[in-house]
Amino acid sequence: MGIYLFLRFSRVLRGRFRWEDQPPLAARTQVEEGVSALRPLEYTYLETKMFGAMSAIRGLNSVFRGGILPKAHGGRTFVVRGKPGAGKSVFALHMMADLASRGRFAIYFSFEETANDIFDRLWKYGLIDQERFAVALVGAELENAIRAARAADPKKGLLVLYGREKSDKFDLLPEVEAVVHGIEVAMRETPGNDWRWRALTLDSINALEFGSRSGPHRFTIQHLVDVIERKGFWGLIVSEDQDESFASLPYLADTVVNLGFGTGRHVRTLEVEKCRTQNYQPGPHAFRITEGRGIVIYPSLRAVQSSLRRRVPSTLSEQWMIPLPGSLPQSLQLEGLEEKTATLLWGPANSGKTLLLVHLATAPSRRCVRANDGVSESGHPDTLPSSGSLLVSFQTWEAKFVQTLRRYPALKKRWESAQVRLRWYSHGDNITSGQVIAEIWQTLQKARRAGVPIDRVMFHGVNAAEELLPNLNEALFWPTLLDLLATEAVTSFFVADGEDGRTGVIEKLRGGVDYAMHTYRQGDLPSSCIRIEKRPSFRLQQQAEFNIDATGAVF
């Protein structure tokens, strides 16, 4: 709190006295008038990190830059809009289950489905957690159901599914107001700790009839929003964006989220239209609805770039390097590849680059011996085995890749000892660039938390990535991927097939990697050639030959 107050005071002080002792506007230079495109670190970012309501929906916290801020006094309204089939109901149901799993109270009103239908959705998307919260299917006896569920286990959260029965008819606005009042009475009369967090979902508001009250339509919706906020609820209102009669709802709500479709109907997107009192990541963010997992949001590449710029990228390692095999160090005048670097291996098919990749990715690191040192430092090992590796393939599926290694026993043995994890992406237009970035980032973080960190990442078939996955054809994808690997302090390798290194993905990667190597064959010779085109300390290009025997040894 002290840091927050200090930053807020500094912001006011900077805004009030920033022009003191400054030259006149006409005397300022063009540099002083420059505007940075990067968003500064505002005090609301720390406020969101400290007090924001974190969500278990993967990726949602990143969109809201840490979490959704509650109001100090009263409730908060959250509107979810979108076309039919965009995932509004699943999103709202996942939010309610998430709140209930944290020991809170949540009630889900459905004016179009029965309570049993809603429960089936909970089960289908894996949102039921009996150890953390109870699920109650109720109808008219709402207050008694809340009392019974609260008395059964007061330490658990509660998710109430209030569905529509076949014979029911709702006088909807008075009913909602009466139910909100009944919930308060039931909570007040139930012994035990009270629920300080209360959530309410209306799915959907388009099924409500607001003709029972006199006055303008805007006043009627305003009354509904006031009831939710005045009673201290976190209200989530689902609305169809094609209904013009509810066009005033976004102006009254605190937060508005639009769900839609990206390219065609194969990619769903989430975009925050407004959010009072806090910042958020703008732009559409892709998300998927998966059975057993619910909703997973993949922040856009611009949002990832905004997160990465607050992290310090790693530099080249001065102590450890990956040695080159055989006689390549003498021929290329290159002892090895320094750790924490990015390397591009490109060339025509059957030029040995894939097997060379396996050799480099599984070779134990060797301590650098500098000219002024003469020997390694005492008390430290001269070699350091790889902790773990990750292979991301855009072209060759996993079983075929492993089957190829069976012909080379030496490489297969090193491959198995290096604890390589495989991730294969099949072709299709439903996989976005944000999803690939998010899944790689999550894999690195999970491995680190599990105590088996990944220090080397391999990307195979990168030339086919944009062809098989059209959504990867985005200008920010490869730069964002390189920035991510740099901030995670891992050694990365990129393998691409191609005859010309100045076109396509090869040209995009060449400018961002530390090493660029070209493998090829000369005539009918059985050996392959490798040429160093780029290295951190540039020297004249060197050329050498290497062979791979029947066991997979490179010499």
Side-chain angles (χ1 to χ4, degrees):
M1 178 62 72
I3 297 176
Y4 161 68
L5 294 176
F6 173 76
L7 291 175
R8 187 165 186 175
F9 172 75
S10 300
R11 185 186 185 213
V12 175
L13 194 66
R14 184 174 64 252
R16 182 173 300 178
F17 301 102
R18 61 180 300 181
W19 298 116
E20 185 177 355
D21 297 331
Q22 293 291 327
L25 182 62
R28 297 174 195 160
T29 63
Q30 186 176 0
V31 176
E32 293 175 342
E33 290 298 315
V35 178
S36 173
L38 298 177
R39 177 178 296 175
L41 181 62
E42 300 180 356
Y43 72 95
T44 53
Y45 173 76
L46 296 176
E47 183 182 17
T48 303
K49 284 290 187 182
M50 290 188 292
F51 306 108
M54 305 295 289
S55 174
I57 298 180
R58 188 174 300 172
L60 188 62
N61 297 327
S62 178
V63 173
F64 284 96
R65 299 173 64 83
I68 303 175
L69 279 176
K71 283 187 176 180
H73 304 284
R76 187 181 182 97
T77 51
F78 192 106
V79 173
V80 179
R81 305 175 65 195
K83 298 179 180 179
K88 302 183 299 299
S89 298
V90 179
F91 180 84
L93 197 59
H94 200 159
M95 292 287 289
M96 295 298 103
D98 176 28
L99 291 170
S101 66
R102 300 172 184 269
R104 304 166 184 173
F105 172 81
I107 181 170
Y108 186 93
F109 283 93
S110 179
F111 304 121
E112 300 170 353
E113 295 180 294
T114 64
N116 290 326
D117 294 336
I118 307 172
F119 184 82
D120 291 341
R121 284 194 177 189
L122 277 175
W123 186 268
K124 177 180 179 181
Y125 297 112
L127 302 179
I128 296 179
D129 191 347
Q130 298 179 355
E131 296 181 357
R132 295 187 177 183
F133 68 94
V135 180
L137 284 69
V138 301
E141 300 294 330
L142 178 62
E143 298 180 21
N144 295 332
I146 294 177
R147 295 189 182 96
R150 185 60 168 169
D153 196 341
K155 295 183 179 180
K156 285 186 178 181
L158 177 60
L159 174 59
V160 177
L161 305 180
Y162 194 89
R164 178 174 184 175
E165 300 298 332
K166 300 298 182 181
S167 59
D168 283 351
K169 293 183 179 179
F170 290 86
D171 186 11
L172 294 159
L173 182 60
E175 181 70 17
V176 171
E177 186 174 359
V179 167
V180 170
H181 177 72
I183 294 172
E184 285 191 313
V185 174
M187 288 179 177
R188 190 165 53 249
E189 296 178 355
T190 303
N193 297 327
D194 59 340
W195 283 296
R196 298 186 180 275
W197 292 84
R198 298 176 290 181
L200 170 71
T201 293
L202 302 179
D203 186 13
S204 68
I205 194 176
N206 303 84
L208 305 181
E209 296 179 0
F210 289 94
S212 59
R213 288 181 177 269
S214 59
H217 184 76
R218 181 184 179 92
F219 174 79
T220 307
I221 300 179
Q222 176 72 66
H223 178 75
L224 175 63
V225 173
D226 289 343
V227 168
I228 294 175
E229 295 184 355
R230 188 173 64 253
K231 300 298 183 180
F233 277 85
W234 191 83
L236 196 153
I237 302 176
V238 179
S239 174
E240 299 285 345
D241 61 356
Q242 295 177 342
D243 195 342
E244 296 295 335
S245 59
F246 295 93
S248 61
L249 182 61
Y251 298 96
L252 304 174
D254 299 309
T255 305
V256 179
V257 172
N258 293 325
L259 303 185
F261 299 94
T263 305
R265 293 182 62 89
H266 300 287
V267 178
R268 292 185 171 96
T269 59
L270 178 148
E271 184 173 3
V272 182
E273 182 178 334
K274 69 178 277 192
C275 187
R276 292 172 181 164
T277 71
Q278 74 174 94
N279 291 327
Y280 55 87
Q281 299 288 4
H285 310 275
F287 73 93
R288 295 174 70 93
I289 302 177
T290 309
E291 293 186 7
R293 299 178 62 189
I295 286 183
V296 179
I297 302 173
Y298 305 104
S300 64
L301 297 184
R302 288 178 174 82
V304 175
Q305 286 280 1
S306 178
S307 301
L308 292 177
R309 72 179 179 87
R310 294 190 296 267
R311 308 179 64 186
V312 179
S314 62
T315 57
L316 307 184
S317 176
E318 297 182 357
Q319 296 183 353
W320 298 98
M321 68 169 49
I322 303 173
L324 295 177
S327 59
L328 293 183
Q330 293 79 16
S331 303
L332 297 176
Q333 299 181 6
L334 181 66
E335 183 179 356
L337 308 180
E338 294 179 329
E339 288 280 7
K340 302 179 184 180
T341 57
T343 302
L344 171 64
L345 292 171
W346 72 275
N350 301 322
S351 59
K353 57 185 178 300
T354 300
L355 298 179
L356 182 61
L357 164 73
V358 176
H359 183 96
L360 293 174
T362 57
S365 299
R366 181 181 301 171
R367 179 172 288 277
C368 300
V369 180
R370 304 299 178 185
N372 54 350
D373 293 337
V375 294
S376 303
E377 298 180 13
S378 60
H380 294 276
D382 291 333
T383 59
L384 185 66
S386 174
S387 300
S389 302
L390 171 66
L391 171 64
V392 181
S393 178
F394 298 103
Q395 188 175 16
T396 306
W397 48 291
E398 307 149 25
K400 184 177 179 181
F401 197 94
V402 176
Q403 185 178 5
T404 304
L405 290 178
R406 292 176 182 173
R407 295 180 293 178
Y408 305 97
L411 286 180
K412 184 176 182 296
K413 183 178 180 180
R414 294 174 56 177
W415 178 271
E416 294 174 350
S417 62
Q419 304 179 6
V420 180
R421 305 183 185 185
L422 301 177
R423 183 67 175 95
W424 174 59
Y425 288 95
S426 60
H427 65 278
D429 57 355
N430 61 338
I431 299 178
T432 64
S433 56
Q435 177 181 350
V436 176
I437 294 290
E439 290 181 352
I440 294 174
W441 202 350
Q442 291 167 9
T443 302
L444 298 177
Q445 293 175 341
K446 287 182 180 179
R448 187 184 301 110
R449 290 194 295 265
V452 188
I454 295 175
D455 56 4
R456 297 177 187 177
V457 183
M458 301 165 283
F459 298 89
H460 188 264
V462 296
N463 55 294
E466 296 181 355
E467 299 176 2
L468 300 179
L469 304 175
N471 289 322
L472 296 189
N473 191 11
E474 189 173 349
L476 283 178
F477 174 69
W478 298 109
T480 304
L481 181 59
L482 290 170
D483 291 343
L484 170 63
L485 298 174
T487 57
E488 288 293 328
V490 297
T491 306
S492 57
F493 301 90
F494 299 85
V495 178
D497 293 334
E499 299 288 345
D500 185 6
R502 298 296 177 182
T503 58
V505 181
I506 299 177
E507 180 64 20
K508 296 179 182 178
L509 289 172
R510 189 194 301 272
V513 298
D514 302 294
Y515 296 93
M517 301 183 180
H518 179 206
T519 61
Y520 59 95
R521 292 183 181 272
Q522 288 184 340
D524 297 332
L525 296 178
S527 59
S528 299
C529 297
I530 182 171
R531 182 172 63 246
I532 306 296
E533 297 181 338
K534 182 181 179 181
R535 68 180 77 185
S537 56
F538 180 78
R539 297 180 183 178
L540 295 178
Q541 296 181 0
Q542 302 294 333
Q543 181 173 331
E545 295 183 357
F546 68 96
N547 290 304
I548 302 175
D549 60 13
T551 65
V554 181
F555 61 92

